Amino acid sequence: MKASIKSNEVLLAERIQHIPQGPFNIHPIFAKKAKGAIVTDVEGKEYIDFAGGIGVNNIGHCDEEVLKAVRDQIDQYIHTCFHVVMYEPYVELARRLNSLTPGTFPKKTMFANSGAEAVENAIKIARHATGRPATIAFEDAFHGRTLLAVSLTSKMKPYKFGFAPYAPEIYRIPYAYCYRCAFNLEYPSCELHCAYSLKEFFHTHISAENVAALIVEPVLGEGGFVVPPREYFKVLQKLCQDNGIVFIADEIQSGFGRTAKMFAMEHYEVTPDIITMAKSLAGGFPLSAITGRAEMMDHPQPGGLGGTYGGNPVACRAGLAVLDQFEKKDLLSRAEKIGKKVLETFKDFYDRFPSVGDVRGLGAMVGMELVTDRKSKEPATALTKRLIETCREKGLLMISAGTHANVIRPLMPLVITDEQLERGLLIIEESFGELHRTTA
Ligand SMILES: Cc1ncc(COP(=O)(O)O)c(C=O)c1O
């Protein structure tokens, strides 16, 4: 391919002509290069990246050590297919993830390509290991777009609408979304009714002995950066243990340092039976992982799991370099500092801008929910969109989240400098100020 001299506008017209609208786009710009926390478009404009490729670039764009590992690997071999000729990077990364993930029991890991595939495999393994059909999922959950994954996903438009019939035997309960409690209760006087209601659910919707798995995000990602109370997952896990249900933590967005621990479940002191990982696992290379109790992971027969590209050697080498960089650069401490700064700033916005309805966070996974009115809590979807557009015009890339797309969810690379972080937050502040003046 020749070096591009096409403008964003020309490329956008070509994109519209040749590519369907389904694979959506948030920003009408095309990348030329990206490094650390800066993305440069084809016209040479630089943006501070608060989106990180939707949580994929926790260690920053084009990390030097990842590049070195990848270059070394492609000089040796790129693909043999793990099912045909095995290779060490797959085994080594599995070994590292088995010891890194919560839980001291024997574990095994397999690899796939995307988050959705990790979720699909986790459910298949749980069904095989338990001999049961059903899965419990949550309102506002996001688990991907393949047919089983989208059946587990909650939001109708755009994810589910028009794609029915969905995979069967999926049952949904409310998440601990305290700002919008499904039971109209308040924490802590609610005594975690949302978690304990699962007991009754087993009488009214699905018998516990037919449930293979409960799959849950430790912090809702696409659902709006919702952080449940500390004891929530302990209650859910106990109900799973009492009923022989596999507890699956979907750490695809919350994992790899985003919450200032390697895995968000560590904050809750809960050890899932199976963990799904993807996104920041391999610094931008398509790789996902499923790590779980050895006896469960070993249950499906040879050939029952796998795929042509799963655990590609280049992606596994990138993953190994990512783990090294987390240690070398102490990115967990950095995530803690970033989270503190963002939370403080968003709380200040809450005090100054009436459209901020709620601010919440865990580590650097901090969300700001916008509403048209604090009393009615009506989602301010249009304002959120305008805020994101205004920020882009000023040189900051951001994305939204939430079932009503009214939550600002910063997913900046954890290698972002203090100056870039300050500048990005200032752009949000300025944009907010302008939008409040125009809507006042
Ligand atoms: C929690 C969670 N699970 C699953 C997925 C699906 O991952 P992918 O888009 O790689 O299929 C995502 C993606 O945003 C996610 O955040």
Side-chain angles (χ1 to χ4, degrees):
M1 206 176 87
K2 275 191 295 179
S4 178
I5 44 160
K6 291 177 182 170
S7 66
N8 286 314
E9 199 184 339
V10 168
L11 285 167
L12 183 60
E14 292 185 5
R15 181 257 177 266
I16 291 168
Q17 188 182 352
H18 299 294
I19 300 168
Q21 61 178 354
F24 72 116
N25 307 107
I26 298 165
H27 297 291
I29 57 168
F30 290 78
K32 181 161 190 220
K33 62 180 180 189
K35 188 80 189 158
I38 299 292
V39 174
T40 310
D41 77 4
V42 285
E43 294 171 12
K45 179 166 174 175
E46 286 193 356
Y47 297 86
I48 297 169
D49 186 7
F50 270 22
I54 318 192
V56 169
N57 296 110
N58 284 1
I59 68 151
H61 292 277
C62 296
D63 174 86
E64 283 308 323
E65 293 303 312
V66 170
L67 292 182
K68 248 194 243 162
V70 162
R71 285 187 188 119
D72 180 58
Q73 184 58 43
I74 59 180
D75 281 343
Q76 296 174 53
Y77 57 93
I78 295 171
H79 176 82
T80 60
C81 182
F82 187 69
H83 309 307
V84 179
V85 176
M86 296 175 280
Y87 38 85
E88 189 176 349
Y90 192 119
V91 181
E92 180 58 11
L93 188 56
R95 188 185 68 75
R96 298 263 306 257
L97 291 180
N98 290 340
S99 75
L100 188 68
T101 46
T104 50
F105 43 78
K107 284 177 247 158
K108 291 197 176 184
T109 292
M110 65 164 282
F111 296 106
N113 305 290
S114 67
E117 263 189 277
V119 166
E120 300 250 347
N121 278 287
I123 302 293
K124 279 174 70 182
I125 291 163
R127 281 189 185 169
H128 206 286
T130 58
R132 301 171 178 187
T135 303
I136 308 269
F138 287 79
E139 286 175 13
D140 301 298
F142 185 84
H143 297 292
R145 290 183 176 82
T146 53
L147 202 44
L148 173 55
V150 86
S151 304
L152 294 163
T153 288
S154 169
K155 185 169 170 171
M156 289 308 298
K157 284 186 182 174
Y159 304 128
K160 303 181 79 145
F161 179 73
F163 297 120
Y166 310 118
E169 291 301 320
I170 290 168
Y171 298 84
R172 200 172 298 284
I173 59 173
Y175 194 78
Y177 191 167
C178 297
Y179 180 62
R180 296 182 186 276
C181 176
F183 301 96
N184 268 327
L185 298 171
E186 263 186 42
Y187 179 78
S189 58
C190 64
E191 295 180 345
L192 292 175
H193 177 72
C194 57
Y196 285 108
S197 69
L198 184 56
K199 271 191 192 170
E200 188 57 18
F201 195 83
F202 290 145
H203 295 294
T204 53
H205 288 75
I206 173 78
S207 290
E209 37 300 38
N210 283 331
V211 179
L214 177 144
I215 182 162
V216 67
E217 294 162 85
V219 177
L220 289 183
E222 170 61 23
F225 276 25
V226 176
V227 186
R230 291 284 147 158
E231 322 87 300
Y232 178 64
F233 292 110
K234 280 204 172 132
V235 176
L236 289 180
Q237 188 188 37
K238 175 83 171 52
L239 287 170
C240 286
Q241 279 167 348
D242 291 349
N243 292 286
I245 296 167
V246 178
F247 185 89
I248 303 173
D250 182 347
E251 292 259 14
I252 286 165
Q253 193 157 157
S254 57
F256 288 87
R258 178 53 48 188
T259 69
K261 295 211 185 272
M262 212 56 184
F263 300 99
M265 273 302 175
E266 293 171 49
H267 289 282
Y268 297 94
E269 292 167 4
V270 160
T271 47
D273 299 310
I274 295 178
I275 298 182
T276 54
M277 295 157 257
K279 292 199 185 279
S280 275
L281 162 62
F285 283 83
L287 185 69
S288 61
I290 307 99
T291 299
R293 289 182 183 274
E295 72 279 9
M296 284 179 192
M297 297 297 291
D298 258 336
H299 212 277
Q301 59 282 5
L305 304 172
T308 306
Y309 289 113
N312 169 273
V314 183
C316 284
R317 286 292 300 275
L320 287 165
V322 165
L323 295 185
D324 291 342
Q325 288 296 71
F326 257 94
E327 279 174 28
K328 266 191 222 152
K329 295 190 166 172
D330 193 12
L331 290 179
L332 297 184
S333 307
R334 182 69 190 142
E336 175 121 36
K337 280 199 195 109
I338 291 171
K340 243 182 167 175
K341 173 79 190 164
V342 177
L343 193 68
E344 259 169 32
T345 309
F346 282 5
K347 281 190 171 157
D348 173 55
F349 292 169
Y350 178 89
D351 292 337
R352 292 164 49 206
F353 303 119
S355 55
V356 179
D358 192 34
V359 170
R360 54 205 176 225
L362 191 63
M365 203 164 179
V366 182
M368 176 166 65
E369 178 154 356
L370 306 187
V371 291
T372 57
D373 161 36
R374 281 190 184 167
K375 226 173 169 183
S376 71
K377 298 185 181 176
E378 195 182 316
T381 308
L383 176 72
T384 310
K385 191 164 181 280
R386 268 188 290 139
L387 180 66
I388 288 173
E389 284 164 2
T390 310
C391 286
R392 182 187 62 248
E393 282 156 19
K394 293 176 185 289
L396 175 70
L397 295 178
M398 283 207 307
I399 52 174
S400 68
T403 295
H404 299 284
N406 65 319
V407 179
I408 295 295
R409 63 161 151 170
L411 283 163
M412 63 284 284
L414 303 174
V415 295
I416 193 166
T417 64
D418 285 340
E419 200 197 338
Q420 291 162 345
L421 181 64
E422 295 263 356
R423 175 79 195 120
L425 293 170
L426 195 65
I427 290 176
I428 302 178
E429 182 179 342
E430 284 169 12
S431 307
F432 242 139
E434 282 175 24
L435 290 174
H436 274 83
R437 274 196 297 281
T438 51
T439 51

